[in-house]
Amino acid sequence: MFTSEKGVVEEWLSEFKTLPEASLPNYATNLKDKSSLVSSLYKVIQEPQSELLEPVCHQLFEFYRSGEEKLLQFTLQFLPELIWCYLAVSASRNVHSSGCIEALLLGVYNLEIVDKQGHSKVLSFTIPSLSKPSVYHEPSSIGSMALTESALSQHGLSKVVYSGPHPQREMLTAQNRFEVLTFLLLCYNAALTYMPSVSLQSLCQICSRICVCGYPRQHVRKYKGVSSRIPVSSEFMVQMLTGIYFSFYNGEWDLAEKALDDIIYRAQLELYPEPLLVANAIKASLPHGAMKSSKEGTRCIQVEITPTASRISRNAVTSMSIRGHRWKRHGGSKGTRQNRPSRDMDSISCWNLQSRFKNDFNF
């Protein structure tokens, strides 16, 4: 680490200590523009033996519990790198050098599992119903849905999945490690739209490293440093895929594609069905060419919108087209008043209409 970078970090540490509380919002707004500070902090985190690592972790935790949203997001952007450093040190069994990183991860976790009143949070997610339209689909495009008695009885009912309450943790062990890390990645994914490009790059890179370290593909990727296998859970890999899917459409196509392939590789070795299902679904939905999306500006996942009713083909078989075809077969002119259908035609039952349709088309 260069002397200039060390000076930037030391100035940042001393500046926040003397900052009056009234200046906190303005300070938080200007913090994201300090790219030299962010790159210097990454280098500190990547050096477990750095003397600045402990005060940096302490200040990042102070940012997180300050209650200022932008300071919270500033700390969150380093979360993938912090997780990687902790797992890398744990794999080398040099646990003592990761004490401050473990304390920061535990502090963020214990803050997130409770609300402002100190009560345990229970997260909920409503599984969308295919019978109701969304930005991803139109029910009419799926096909006819038989209105059976069973379907009618379940109409309007939604299935809700709950997560929590989560227990507080005083230390990370082999038993609870990935329970905590998975929850932290869930918090990171909830703020993906606020994460800068450098954070998305870090996420993709650490996902690749975690998945291939200790396996033959590590030599293909030319990753140096950690050569031990890092255990992962199925739920943790699914959370990694959420961030990678977002990175595809926000300027990090190449890194995200490499990370996706490495997750599929590891999931196949571990025989994990959930990440395999999600990863292959993402891979199948990707366009053939790389997306040329700007690194700045609107961040979103692009979806194919189902055509609306006005764009449906004119050749669709309707009751009017069936009547028109019948009149043409009888040689009448559709425009004359004598050959126009009488109002009694509207009272013909569906069954008779289908019978005439079959007879006319020689079914």
Side-chain angles (χ1 to χ4, degrees), residues 216-279:
R217 184 171 282 202
Q218 181 176 3
H219 304 292
V220 178
R221 298 297 190 204
K222 298 180 180 179
Y223 292 148
K224 298 180 180 179
V226 180
S227 57
S228 304
R229 295 184 181 181
I230 298 176
V232 289
S233 68
S234 175
E235 295 80 7
F236 184 77
M237 295 180 75
V238 171
Q239 290 301 325
M240 288 196 299
L241 285 167
T242 303
I244 289 170
Y245 187 34
F246 182 86
S247 302
F248 267 109
Y249 296 93
N250 288 276
E252 308 302 335
W253 181 277
D254 294 334
L255 288 174
E257 187 176 32
K258 184 186 296 185
L260 180 63
D261 289 339
D262 291 339
I263 288 181
I264 293 176
Y265 170 79
R266 181 64 180 272
Q268 289 173 339
L269 293 174
E270 300 284 357
L271 297 179
Y272 284 155
E274 291 86 357
L276 272 176
L277 177 65
V278 176

Side-chain angles (χ1 to χ4, degrees), residues 94-256:
N94 188 9
V95 183
H96 298 289
S97 61
S98 66
C100 53
I101 295 179
E102 180 180 341
L104 174 57
L105 294 175
L106 279 172
V108 173
Y109 168 81
N110 287 326
L111 283 175
E112 281 293 336
I113 61 174
V114 296
D115 56 22
K116 293 181 180 180
Q117 288 73 35
H119 303 301
S120 297
K121 287 182 183 177
V122 178
L123 305 178
S124 62
F125 174 75
T126 303
I127 299 178
S129 172
L130 292 178
S131 63
K132 297 181 180 179
S134 70
V135 295
Y136 299 100
H137 81 291
E138 289 284 345
S140 58
S141 65
I142 301 176
S144 60
M145 294 184 178
L147 292 176
T148 61
E149 185 177 351
S150 175
L152 286 172
S153 64
Q154 297 180 3
H155 185 70
L157 297 180
S158 300
K159 185 176 181 181
V160 181
V161 178
Y162 296 97
S163 174
H166 298 274
Q168 286 199 341
R169 301 294 184 184
E170 295 182 358
M171 63 181 298
L172 291 177
T173 64
Q175 287 74 27
N176 65 26
R177 178 178 299 155
F178 279 99
E179 178 188 341
V180 173
L181 297 182
T182 300
F183 184 82
L184 289 175
L185 263 189
L186 177 67
C187 299
Y188 176 84
N189 290 334
L192 273 174
T193 54
Y194 305 105
M195 296 298 105
S197 296
V198 65
S199 182
L200 297 180
Q201 293 168 12
S202 173
L203 173 70
C204 295
Q205 290 167 353
I206 70 107
C207 288
S208 286
R209 287 179 176 271
I210 289 173
C211 290
V212 303
C213 278
Y215 291 91
R217 184 171 282 202
Q218 181 176 3
H219 304 292
V220 178
R221 298 297 190 204
K222 298 180 180 179
Y223 292 148
K224 298 180 180 179
V226 180
S227 57
S228 304
R229 295 184 181 181
I230 298 176
V232 289
S233 68
S234 175
E235 295 80 7
F236 184 77
M237 295 180 75
V238 171
Q239 290 301 325
M240 288 196 299
L241 285 167
T242 303
I244 289 170
Y245 187 34
F246 182 86
S247 302
F248 267 109
Y249 296 93
N250 288 276
E252 308 302 335
W253 181 277
D254 294 334
L255 288 174

Side-chain angles (χ1 to χ4, degrees), residues 72 256 332:
L72 183 147

Side-chain angles (χ1 to χ4, degrees), residues 18-50:
T18 59
L19 191 70
E21 190 172 350
S23 305
L24 200 59
N26 189 40
Y27 171 80
T29 303
N30 298 329
L31 200 59
K32 65 176 183 179
D33 299 325
K34 298 181 178 181
S35 56
S36 59
L37 171 63
V38 172
S39 61
S40 299
L41 289 176
Y42 270 108
K43 290 186 178 180
V44 171
I45 294 172
Q46 291 165 359
E47 296 179 9
Q49 306 301 330
S50 174

